[in-house]
Amino acid sequence: MKNRFSLSNRRPGGRIICYKDEISKYVRLIENESNFVMWINISSQNTKLDDDVILGSVYIPPENTRYSSSDSFREIENDILEYSSRYKYVCLAGDFNSRTSIDLDHVSSEHNDFDDILIESSIFEENSLHIPDNLTCPTTRENMDKTKNNYGNLLLDLCRYTGVYIVNGRIGDNITGKLTSKNAATVDYFLATPDLLNIISNSDVLHFSNLFSDAHCPLDISININTTTCTCNACNPRTDIQPKKEQIKKWNLAKADEFNEYLDLAKIETIDNALDLLTDDHVNLNNINDTVKNIGDIFVNAAKHTFGTYNPKKSDKRTYNAQKEKSNKPWFDNECRQKRKNTRRTQRLYRLCKSEENKRIKNQSEKEYKKTLNKCIKKYRIEMRNKMKNMKTKNPKEYY
C-alpha cells in the first residue's frame, strides 16, 4: 500500500493492489517516486503472454483541493513513457478525477499542425502517436458523461503523448461508456497500450457496492491471454495434465476372498507362458513394460469389480478459507457472519432480479454489514488495548 503525502494530522487515503496468494511469486512491486501511482510487474510465466504486464494503480486527488498537485499527470506520463519503451503490455486503472466527455484520446491524422510539433520532439518515435494499423477496437469512444474539466484535458493530453488508450466506452459491455461515480460522472478509467488493448475481450462497470467504496463503481476488465502466447518453454502451459479419472475404493480385508475370485486366471496363464518363452536375447524394455502393464491390469480390474470405483471430488476450498479467515480475524464474530450471510443473499437476489426495491435492500444490507465490521474492529482494538495495559501493570513479564 502506498499512502498519499500528508498535509494534516489526519492520515490520508492511498492505493492498494490485492492479488491471490497463489500468484504471489509472479508479481513484483516496482519502486517509483510518484505519490499518485503504484506499479507492479506481472510475469509472463503466469499470464502466458509473450511479455510481462505492467499494471499501475492510480489515484489523483480532485482538482482545487488541498491534495491536488500540478505534477500528478506529468509524473504518471513519465512512468508510462519509461515502461512502454521496455514492455508491450502497460495499463493503468483507478480514479483520475478527470471528466473527458467523448474527446479524442489520440492524435488524429487530420491534425497535421499539432502532429508536426510533436514529431519534432526527440521523445516521440515516428508515427508513434497515430492509430496503429492493427488496432481492433473502435477509434472513437462513447461516454455517458458529456462534461469535461481541466483534469480531463490533462488526461487526454497524457493519452496523446504516451500512446495509451482509454478502454471505457470502447469494448464489450461498457461500449456505451457507463458512469462510474454516484451515477453522475465518469472519473474512473482503465488505460492500456495498443498491444494490450487488442487482447482485451470485455470491459464493464459493475454495480456500486457500499462495501468497497463510498461513491465509485468497480471496473471489470477481461483479457484473452490465448490471443498472444509466449513461445518459451517456461511460459507454455502444461499439456500433460489430465483431468482426474475415476479411482478405486480402498482395500477392504473382508473382501479378500472375493478379490481372489475376480483375478483373471486365463490372463495370468498367458503372461506366465509368455515369460517362459522369453530368452535373454529377446528381453528388452518394451517386453518388460508390457508384462508389468498386463500384470497391473489384472489387479486393477479385480479391484474394480470387488471394491467399486468413485469420482474424486474437488477439495472444498470454502471450508479451508473460512477456517483461515476465522483464525486470522479474531474480531470477526457471529454477528459479522450473520450480516455477511444476509448481504450475500441480497446480492444474489439483486443479480436475479435487478429491480429498484432489490437494489435498495442490497445497498442497505451492505451498509449494515460495513457498519457491523467497523464496530467489531473498534471493539476488538479497545479490548486489546485494555488487555495490554492491564498486562503491563499486573504481569510485566508476559507483557515484555
Side-chain angles (χ1 to χ4, degrees):
M1 180 175 181
K2 178 183 286 189
N3 290 306
R4 298 203 308 266
F5 48 84
S6 179
L7 297 178
S8 64
N9 294 329
R10 181 179 178 182
R11 188 178 183 183
R15 290 154 307 285
I16 185 170
I17 298 178
C18 302
Y19 50 86
K20 292 185 177 180
D21 183 62
E22 60 194 47
I23 67 167
S24 58
K25 63 180 179 180
Y26 302 110
V27 179
R28 176 175 59 87
L29 178 66
I30 302 176
E31 298 292 341
N32 70 314
E33 298 180 356
S34 175
N35 291 312
F36 306 99
V37 60
M38 180 180 181
W39 295 97
I40 61 171
N41 178 302
I42 305 175
S43 172
S44 59
Q45 294 186 16
N46 174 253
T47 62
K48 307 299 185 296
L49 295 172
D50 56 352
D51 199 0
D52 294 350
V53 175
I54 307 300
L55 170 64
S57 174
V58 177
Y59 176 75
I60 298 179
E63 57 182 329
N64 302 322
T65 64
R66 63 189 307 180
Y67 294 108
S68 61
S69 171
S70 58
D71 296 331
S72 55
F73 287 92
R74 180 183 57 81
E75 292 179 7
I76 296 175
E77 178 185 314
N78 291 336
D79 285 347
I80 296 175
L81 289 173
E82 177 185 352
Y83 298 137
S84 61
S85 65
R86 292 186 286 154
Y87 300 95
K88 293 172 58 177
Y89 308 114
V90 180
C91 55
L92 301 92
D95 180 7
F96 290 81
N97 274 301
S98 305
R99 305 179 72 175
T100 60
S101 186
I102 56 173
D103 286 16
L104 290 177
D105 56 355
H106 57 273
V107 178
S108 173
S109 58
E110 298 176 357
H111 299 166
N112 293 325
D113 295 338
F114 183 58
D115 190 43
D116 292 340
I117 295 174
L118 292 177
I119 290 178
E120 291 178 0
S121 173
S122 60
I123 298 177
F124 304 101
E125 299 178 0
E126 184 177 0
N127 296 328
S128 63
L129 299 178
H130 288 302
I131 302 173
D133 295 333
N134 62 343
L135 196 65
T136 57
C137 68
T139 56
T140 58
R141 60 186 178 89
E142 298 296 329
N143 192 348
M144 297 176 66
D145 182 9
K146 304 303 181 183
T147 305
K148 190 170 68 170
N149 60 6
N150 181 48
Y151 271 16
N153 289 324
L154 293 177
L155 177 59
L156 292 171
D157 287 342
L158 179 146
C159 294
R160 295 171 187 141
Y161 295 161
T162 60
V164 297
Y165 289 80
I166 297 175
V167 178
N168 305 50
R170 274 198 167 99
I171 298 174
D173 296 330
N174 191 25
I175 199 168
T176 57
K178 299 177 183 178
L179 303 175
T180 65
S181 178
K182 298 181 179 179
N183 202 29
T186 299
V187 294
D188 306 278
Y189 297 91
F190 190 90
L191 312 181
T193 53
D195 289 301
L196 183 60
L197 190 65
N198 284 335
I199 60 175
I200 294 178
S201 57
N202 189 38
S203 68
D204 197 8
V205 177
L206 304 182
H207 294 288
F208 170 75
S209 175
N210 288 284
L211 288 175
F212 305 114
S213 177
D214 57 345
H216 300 270
C217 298
L219 300 182
D220 181 47
I221 302 294
S222 301
I223 298 177
N224 183 10
I225 62 174
N226 295 321
T227 302
T228 307
T229 55
C230 181
T231 56
C232 62
N233 293 330
C235 300
N236 281 337
R238 292 181 58 183
T239 58
D240 59 330
I241 301 177
Q242 301 294 332
K244 291 184 177 180
K245 300 179 180 179
E246 62 176 7
Q247 296 185 4
I248 302 173
K249 294 181 180 180
K250 292 183 178 180
W251 171 269
N252 187 350
L253 186 60
K255 295 184 177 181
D257 294 336
E258 184 180 352
F259 175 79
N260 290 333
E261 293 177 0
Y262 278 111
L263 293 175
D264 194 331
L265 299 180
K267 289 186 177 180
I268 295 176
E269 185 177 356
T270 301
I271 294 174
D272 187 42
N273 294 334
L275 291 175
D276 290 338
L277 295 175
L278 283 178
T279 61
D280 294 340
D281 297 334
H282 295 87
V283 174
N284 54 48
L285 184 60
N286 291 332
N287 291 335
I288 297 174
N289 288 338
D290 291 341
T291 303
V292 172
K293 182 179 181 302
N294 292 334
I295 295 173
D297 289 342
I298 293 174
F299 287 106
V300 169
N301 292 332
K304 285 183 178 180
H305 287 92
T306 306
F307 309 114
T309 60
Y310 70 97
N311 292 320
K313 296 181 180 179
K314 294 182 179 180
S315 59
D316 191 357
K317 294 184 178 180
R318 290 186 178 182
T319 304
Y320 170 77
N321 290 336
Q323 294 174 351
K324 184 177 180 181
E325 183 180 44
K326 181 179 179 180
S327 61
N328 290 340
K329 299 177 181 179
W331 50 265
F332 197 85
D333 56 14
N334 290 330
E335 184 180 5
C336 294
R337 292 187 182 88
Q338 188 62 35
K339 292 294 183 182
R340 181 179 64 181
K341 182 178 180 180
N342 184 60
T343 299
R344 290 177 175 175
R345 181 182 62 81
T346 57
Q347 289 174 341
R348 288 194 298 268
L349 183 63
Y350 178 69
R351 284 196 295 268
L352 293 174
C353 180
K354 295 180 180 179
S355 64
E356 290 298 323
E357 178 63 17
N358 288 342
K359 182 178 180 180
R360 184 191 65 79
I361 296 174
K362 177 184 76 72
N363 291 339
Q364 182 63 30
S365 65
E366 289 175 346
K367 289 180 180 179
E368 292 177 358
Y369 180 34
K370 190 172 184 179
K371 184 178 180 180
T372 302
L373 291 178
N374 293 334
K375 182 187 71 173
C376 292
I377 293 173
K378 184 178 180 180
K379 178 182 176 182
Y380 174 76
R381 288 176 176 173
I382 293 174
E383 291 176 351
M384 284 298 298
R385 187 160 53 244
N386 294 335
K387 180 180 178 181
M388 297 300 293
K389 187 183 296 184
N390 294 333
M391 186 184 297
K392 184 178 182 180
T393 305
K394 299 179 180 179
N395 193 355
K397 183 177 181 181
E398 184 179 353
Y399 175 80
Y400 289 105

